[in-house]
Amino acid sequence: NNSILPVITGLLLFTLVAISEELLFRGGILQILIKSYSIPTALIFSSLLFSSVHLLNPGITWVGFLNITLFGLIAGILFLKFNNIIPSISLHLFWNFVQGSVLGFAVSGKKMYGVFSVHHYAPAYLSGGSFGLEGSLITLIIQFVFVLILLPSSPKKLTLLKANNL
């Protein structure tokens, strides 16, 4: 598709999705959970709630569910690290827009038309199949590494993060 309209439509759609989901899950649910639970527990639970909302998306697999959960962890850690929702919204918007409107992959199982058109020659466990990059084991490994890089190295740092930011 050579039209710019799908790109503009995708940008608007993904902006609304990123803002609404991040405000709900990181700006709301995560902060509520932190008041009653430890940061790791709150991060995991809010991320599982976030990924659970995607369970009805077409073509979701266990890898897709894990990837969306890991994305929730990354977005939550960014939110806490910067004490600001903008990094989480920006990452969410960038991820969805690039994978859908630019690369032409499905986003959470929803077919997208991008600047490029994707043809799946790799097995679904590598390409993500009909669910998109979020269904790929490669994405799972990359996000897992990001979580390890972003997480503070000790429980004491998590406590300080909670005290300083919330």
Side-chain angles (χ1 to χ4, degrees), residues 14 21 44 53 91 99-100 106 123 125 139 144 149 155-156 166:
F14 293 133
E21 287 185 354
I44 290 167
V53 168
L91 177 65
Q99 100 176 286
Y125 68 90
T139 303
F144 185 73
I149 290 169
K156 184 176 181 179
L166 299 174

Side-chain angles (χ1 to χ4, degrees), residues 7-120:
V7 174
I8 294 170
T9 303
L11 182 60
L12 292 173
L13 169 70
F14 293 133
T15 299
L16 290 173
V17 168
I19 291 170
S20 61
E21 287 185 354
E22 292 308 314
L23 285 175
L24 175 62
F25 289 99
R26 265 52 79 180
I29 292 171
L30 178 59
Q31 291 187 76
I32 291 167
L33 291 171
I34 284 175
K35 291 179 180 173
S36 300
Y37 302 99
S38 69
I39 285 182
T41 301
L43 279 168
I44 290 167
F45 191 61
S46 65
S47 298
L48 286 169
L49 284 172
F50 174 67
S51 55
S52 294
V53 168
H54 296 81
L55 280 173
L56 296 177
N57 289 26
I60 191 161
T61 63
W62 67 271
V63 175
F65 182 82
L66 288 175
N67 273 326
I68 293 172
T69 302
L70 285 174
F71 181 87
L73 284 172
I74 292 167
I77 293 165
L78 285 175
F79 172 69
L80 294 175
K81 188 174 190 80
F82 293 101
N83 194 26
N84 193 314
I85 197 77
I86 299 300
S88 301
I89 291 172
S90 300
L91 177 65
H92 199 147
L93 171 59
F94 177 79
W95 172 249
N96 285 348
F97 179 73
V98 169
Q99 100 176 286
S101 298
V102 175
L103 300 177
F105 280 92
V107 178
S108 295
K110 296 177 182 157
K111 177 81 174 114
M112 298 302 302
Y113 297 96
V115 174
F116 300 99
S117 179
V118 175
H119 300 284
H120 303 284

